[in-house]
C-alpha cells in the first residue's frame, strides 16, 4: 500500500506558474535535505504513512511568489510494506518568512 498526500489543483497551478525551472545542483545541501525530510514527514502526518527518508534522487526549483517551488524525487523506505524502498515525487513551496519558523508548504506527494 502506497500512501500519498496530494493537492492536485494547487500543485498543478503553482507548478505551471513557475516559468523557468533549474536543476538543483547540490542534492545533498542542508536546505534540500531539510525540504525533502519535511515532505516525507508531512506526508506521514497527513496520510498516516510510515515512510523513512533515504535520499533525494533528482530535483528542480523555480521562483514562485516570494519563495522557491521545489520538485523533488525522493527515495523513502515504507515500513508498512516490509521496508520496501520506493520513489516519491514531492512538490514543496518554500517561503522564507522571518516570523514563521516553518515556512514550507507540501503541495504534492505521491509515489
Amino acid at each position: 500500500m502506497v500512501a500519498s498526500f496530494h493537492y492536485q489543483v494547487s500543485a498543478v497551478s503553482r507548478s505551471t506558474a513557475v516559468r523557468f525551472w533549474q536543476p538543483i545542483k547540490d542534492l545533498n545541501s542542508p536546505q534540500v535535505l531539510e525540504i525533502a525530510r519535511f515532505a516525507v514527514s508531512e506526508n506521514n502526518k497527513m496520510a498516516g504513512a510510515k515512510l523513512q527518508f533515504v535520499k533525494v534522487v533528482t530535483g528542480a526549483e523555480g521562483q514562485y511568489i516570494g519563495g522557491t517551488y521545489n520538485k523533488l524525487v525522493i527515495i523513502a523506505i515504507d515500513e508498512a510494506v516490509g521496508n520496501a524502498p520506493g520513489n516519491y515525487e514531492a512538490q514543496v513551496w518554500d517561503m522564507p518568512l522571518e516570523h514563521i519558523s516553518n515556512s514550507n508548504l507540501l503541495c504534492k506527494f505521491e509515489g
Side-chain angles (χ1 to χ4, degrees):
M1 175 184 203
V2 175
S4 66
F5 181 70
H6 192 174
Y7 284 126
Q8 177 76 29
V9 175
S10 61
V12 170
S13 63
R14 286 188 184 103
S15 181
T16 57
V18 175
R19 293 183 184 188
F20 301 104
W21 290 98
Q22 295 185 349
I24 297 173
K25 294 177 184 173
D26 184 3
L27 297 174
N28 294 311
S29 75
Q31 181 182 8
V32 172
L33 294 177
E34 179 183 335
I35 290 169
R37 286 186 177 105
F38 165 81
V40 171
S41 175
E42 283 298 296
N43 179 69
N44 285 348
K45 288 178 201 171
M46 295 180 181
K50 293 186 177 183
L51 298 176
Q52 288 185 343
F53 171 78
V54 175
K55 70 178 185 174
V56 178
V57 180
T58 62
E61 62 185 5
Q63 295 302 307
Y64 178 75
I65 307 179
T68 304
Y69 198 79
N70 300 273
K71 293 197 295 188
L72 305 174
V73 175
I74 298 168
I75 293 179
I77 294 172
D78 191 346
E79 293 178 1
V81 290
N83 292 326
N87 287 351
Y88 299 87
E89 179 187 349
Q91 294 185 16
V92 177
W93 183 18
D94 180 28
M95 308 164 284
L97 303 171
E98 293 178 18
H99 61 282
I100 299 176
S101 62
N102 184 358
S103 58
N104 293 327
L105 175 65
L106 180 62
C107 299
K108 177 180 179 182
F109 194 97
E110 64 183 7

